[in-house]
Amino acid sequence: MPKPYLEWVDKNQQTQYLEIVDKVFIGRSCKGVDSQKKILVHDAQVSRDHAVVSRRAEHLQITDSSKNGTWVNEIRLAAGASSEIVDGDSIRVGGFSFRVCYPENVTDVKDAAILTDGTRVTPTEIMVTNVVADVRNFSTFSQDHASSDVYALMKEIFDKFSAIVYQFKGTLKDYAGDAVYAFWGHDVEPINTQAILACQAAIKQTQTINEIRTQLTGKNLAADNLQMGWGITTGKVTMSHYGSRAADLALVGDCTNLAFRLSGLANKELSEKIVICSQTADLVRDDLALKDLGSVSIKGRTGKEHIFALNQS
């Protein structure tokens, strides 16, 4: 069977190849790694050790370890996350792209000079749609049930919701306590396409709650009373880092805060499970059924917000 390799075009417009024997390291220096197992990218937005492509039997996987992100088929991986990759997939780090291939012949990649300066983590303003799924009354929920049951239930939620985010081409940002936070960047697809995908992911997550309850019936008492609410917003955020770890990716913006606020209202102060902002409503109203909830005051915010409910069917 042909062996997998990565293919790219260098600065001299020459096609280069590197066979994936067990691991291939991608970054600006990858110190201590054999030259035949690394691809050096001369880009200030690429980390010294940016990503690793691993091979196990015939399966390939890429793991992000960067500060500025790794894209697979133009979908950003969450910081520190892994993704299966197959023949024909594209990988992008900084402004540099690779293609995953299964060739008949493999040519060794040329060794390159090592860069040693720091990674430039550039704050970037982008348009995103945020989805926050939040467990209702989590403090009381935790108090009333065994910690082992709460853990098992939250793990089931995180696992299933994460898979749904990836299914609808989103990026999982955080497990924020009792909430799952994901976002859809609008730099790849048309803005309304990304907003629709985000809403469809939230709808799928609401449907999955019943599956989780059924699966855990009689096994986990915490699942019996599980209730959640969703908040969805669209707007500009600044993407950067606060800390030194790759996982410290931050999306800072009013729309992010609003998504968490709306998730706290949904299925609690409001009977609707999925509450969305007016900007998101404008993008999806031609494709998804909405209910106008009017303008409401939201704790911690001045003025009122015009909000809508998203039909779950």
Side-chain angles (χ1 to χ4, degrees):
M1 187 174 201
K3 295 179 180 179
Y5 73 99
L6 295 177
E7 175 186 282
W8 70 99
V9 177
D10 66 17
K11 63 181 180 180
N12 298 317
Q13 299 304 304
Q14 298 296 313
T15 301
Q16 301 288 350
Y17 311 90
L18 183 61
E19 179 183 330
I20 307 168
V21 178
D22 52 0
K23 290 184 178 181
V24 170
F25 296 81
I26 301 170
R28 277 212 333 281
S29 60
C30 304
K31 287 185 178 180
V33 178
D34 185 273
S35 63
Q36 300 305 313
K37 290 188 176 183
K38 65 183 177 183
I39 299 174
L40 300 184
V41 180
H42 298 254
D43 186 324
Q45 293 195 41
V46 173
S47 299
R48 292 187 181 94
D49 299 292
H50 196 102
V52 180
V53 175
S54 304
R55 178 185 178 189
R56 187 170 295 179
E58 299 305 324
H59 298 284
L60 298 178
Q61 175 178 276
I62 185 167
T63 300
D64 172 74
S65 54
S66 71
K67 289 187 175 181
N68 284 327
T70 300
W71 280 256
V72 176
N73 297 327
E74 293 305 325
I75 299 174
R76 182 180 178 133
L77 298 182
S82 298
S83 175
E84 295 292 320
I85 50 177
V86 297
D87 181 38
D89 280 350
S90 65
I91 298 169
R92 178 164 64 85
V93 300
F96 209 78
S97 295
F98 306 85
R99 190 165 69 93
V100 180
C101 304
Y102 290 85
E104 294 295 338
N105 298 294
V106 178
T107 304
D108 290 336
V109 66
K110 297 177 181 178
D111 200 3
I114 293 176
L115 298 179
T116 58
D117 55 322
T119 302
R120 187 178 71 237
V121 182
T122 306
T124 304
E125 188 176 66
I126 61 172
M127 184 75 74
V128 301
T129 294
N130 304 286
V131 176
V132 177
D134 186 36
V135 176
R136 296 281 64 88
N137 301 314
F138 186 71
S139 295
T140 304
F141 183 79
S142 298
Q143 185 178 7
D144 292 343
H145 298 92
S147 61
S148 57
D149 283 348
V150 174
Y151 166 78
L153 177 58
M154 294 307 299
K155 184 178 186 304
E156 194 68 26
I157 292 171
F158 291 160
D159 288 349
K160 282 188 164 51
F161 279 22
S162 298
I164 291 170
V165 169
Y166 297 137
Q167 177 187 349
F168 287 91
K169 301 182 179 181
T171 298
L172 185 68
K173 170 61 181 71
D174 268 328
Y175 300 130
D178 58 332
V180 179
Y181 171 31
F183 68 93
W184 279 252
H186 294 169
D187 54 339
V188 179
E189 298 284 351
I191 185 171
N192 65 315
T193 300
Q194 295 295 79
I196 291 168
L197 286 170
C199 289
Q200 289 173 332
I203 292 171
K204 181 69 173 178
Q205 287 175 349
T206 64
Q207 296 166 347
T208 303
I209 288 295
N210 289 331
E211 296 176 13
I212 293 174
R213 286 200 198 96
T214 300
Q215 178 181 337
L216 296 179
T217 295
K219 304 175 184 177
N220 189 326
L221 294 177
D224 295 340
N225 300 316
L226 175 64
Q227 297 292 333
M228 297 187 70
W230 284 257
I232 304 178
T233 61
T234 299
K236 288 185 177 180
V237 299
T238 293
M239 180 184 293
S240 190
H241 281 74
Y242 283 138
S244 59
R245 302 175 305 163
D248 290 327
L249 175 71
L251 270 69
V252 181
D254 181 58
C255 70
T256 301
N257 297 329
L258 181 58
F260 279 89
R261 293 292 187 182
L262 294 184
S263 72
L265 292 176
N267 204 18
K268 190 176 181 181
E269 295 178 32
L270 300 171
S271 59
E272 289 78 9
K273 292 183 179 179
I274 306 176
V275 178
I276 72 176
C277 72
S278 59
Q279 292 88 338
T280 305
D282 289 341
L283 294 171
V284 305
R285 65 174 71 253
D286 291 338
D287 297 272
L288 300 171
L290 304 177
K291 176 182 177 182
D292 192 334
L293 300 179
S295 295
V296 300
S297 297
I298 297 176
K299 183 179 179 181
R301 297 176 62 84
T302 59
K304 292 188 174 183
E305 294 288 340
H306 190 184
I307 60 175
F308 296 78
L310 182 62
N311 193 319
Q312 299 162 51
S313 59

